[in-house]
Amino acid sequence: MNSDVQVQLNPPLNLPRLPHFRGAFHLARLTFYAIAFICVLPSPAVSQIFICKDGAGRTITSDHPTPECADRAMRELSNAGLLRREIPAPLNAEQKHQLQLQEEKHRIAAAALEEQHQQDKALMARYRSENDITASRRYYLALSQDMIKRDQASIVEAEGQLKAAQADAEFYKNKKLPAPVQWKIDDAQQALVGSKTSLSEHQQEAAGINAKFDETLTRYRTLSLDQANSSNR
């Protein structure tokens, strides 16, 4: 059965009976008694009240937080019974962990937002127009295309060397190849594989350059539009 713990806020007052005065000449003496009476009044014993329900569902009322309320939600009331604040229950271990995860998520989001802001600032400082972006794209693509052409030439050369080495090997059919001939074949095959791998990487690099400048152009247009809208406000 639930029970409430009651707190007696103020003790009963046994106030002294004031003497009865007659006449205006007793006004000063009456004022003195009034002031003395006010001074001896006791101050409120409780300035706030804390209320919670314990594990058994009982209402705990006290003028200070009690151990029974340590892990419970509480209400703080004034001595007049008015609600001052709601005090939530302390977080448990899982709730603290989730709060830390949420705070870390917010921190990462804020850091990403700041990084984006810095990147946008750098982008607008670097390019004055879309033509600047187009010119920069062409420059880096030209460098990549030079590497692609070099790889293609290396492939043609390696294929020629391999073909020549294989022609030399025709003289040794059904015989063990001499070491120098085998080395030529191995070297040509390795050169061919290496050149093809390099060509693939540089082709991917060129695709990445195009994708990066497509993204840059899109972002530049967005920022330019935002600046124009801000200027028109």
Side-chain angles (χ1 to χ4, degrees):
M1 181 175 180
N2 296 341
S3 63
D4 292 351
V5 178
Q6 301 296 330
V7 174
Q8 183 173 337
L9 301 182
N10 294 310
L13 300 178
N14 295 320
L15 303 179
R17 182 182 299 276
L18 294 177
H20 180 67
F21 295 98
R22 296 179 182 178
F25 66 93
H26 295 298
L27 179 60
R29 188 175 299 176
L30 178 61
T31 301
F32 169 78
Y33 272 95
I35 295 173
F37 173 74
I38 293 173
C39 291
V40 299
L41 282 176
S43 60
V46 178
S47 60
Q48 65 276 330
I49 306 169
F50 294 92
I51 300 175
C52 78
K53 287 187 179 294
D54 65 7
R58 297 175 302 176
T59 299
I60 306 297
T61 304
S62 177
D63 61 351
H64 62 277
T66 62
E68 295 85 352
C69 296
D71 60 346
R72 302 284 170 175
M74 288 187 292
R75 290 182 298 154
E76 181 183 353
L77 310 180
S78 68
N79 58 353
L82 300 177
L83 179 65
R84 283 185 173 177
R85 58 173 175 157
E86 297 276 357
I87 305 175
L91 300 179
N92 58 35
E94 178 60 23
Q95 290 171 329
K96 288 180 180 179
H97 177 65
Q98 292 299 324
L99 179 61
Q100 290 174 349
L101 293 178
Q102 190 69 18
E103 290 175 347
E104 180 65 11
K105 182 179 179 180
H106 290 163
R107 186 192 67 77
I108 293 174
L113 185 63
E114 177 60 22
E115 182 179 359
Q116 183 64 59
H117 174 72
Q118 295 300 327
Q119 290 177 351
D120 290 344
K121 185 177 179 181
L123 186 151
M124 299 304 291
R126 181 175 181 180
Y127 300 112
R128 295 171 297 177
S129 68
E130 293 185 16
N131 289 335
D132 287 349
I133 298 176
T134 300
S136 186
R137 182 202 294 262
R138 289 174 178 170
Y139 171 78
Y140 286 104
L141 281 177
L143 295 178
S144 183
Q145 287 299 324
D146 287 343
M147 302 299 291
I148 289 174
K149 291 178 181 179
R150 188 196 66 179
D151 294 333
Q152 289 172 337
S154 297
I155 290 173
V156 171
E157 181 180 358
E159 287 175 341
Q161 291 174 351
L162 179 59
K163 186 176 180 180
Q166 289 173 340
D168 291 342
E170 288 294 326
F171 294 102
Y172 302 95
K173 277 189 176 181
N174 301 322
K175 296 181 182 180
K176 183 177 180 180
L177 287 177
V181 176
Q182 186 63 56
W183 292 341
K184 287 182 181 180
I185 294 175
D186 292 343
D187 290 344
Q189 288 176 336
Q190 290 178 3
L192 183 60
V193 171
S195 296
K196 287 183 176 180
T197 300
S198 181
L199 175 63
S200 177
E201 291 174 351
H202 287 129
Q203 288 173 335
Q204 291 177 6
E205 182 181 81
I209 290 173
N210 271 320
K212 181 62 177 178
F213 275 99
D214 285 343
E215 180 183 341
T216 298
L217 183 59
T218 300
R219 187 60 182 170
Y220 180 86
R221 288 172 175 170
T222 299
L223 294 174
S224 298
L225 181 60
D226 290 344
Q227 287 182 351
N229 291 336
S230 298
S231 299
N232 294 332
R233 290 174 184 172

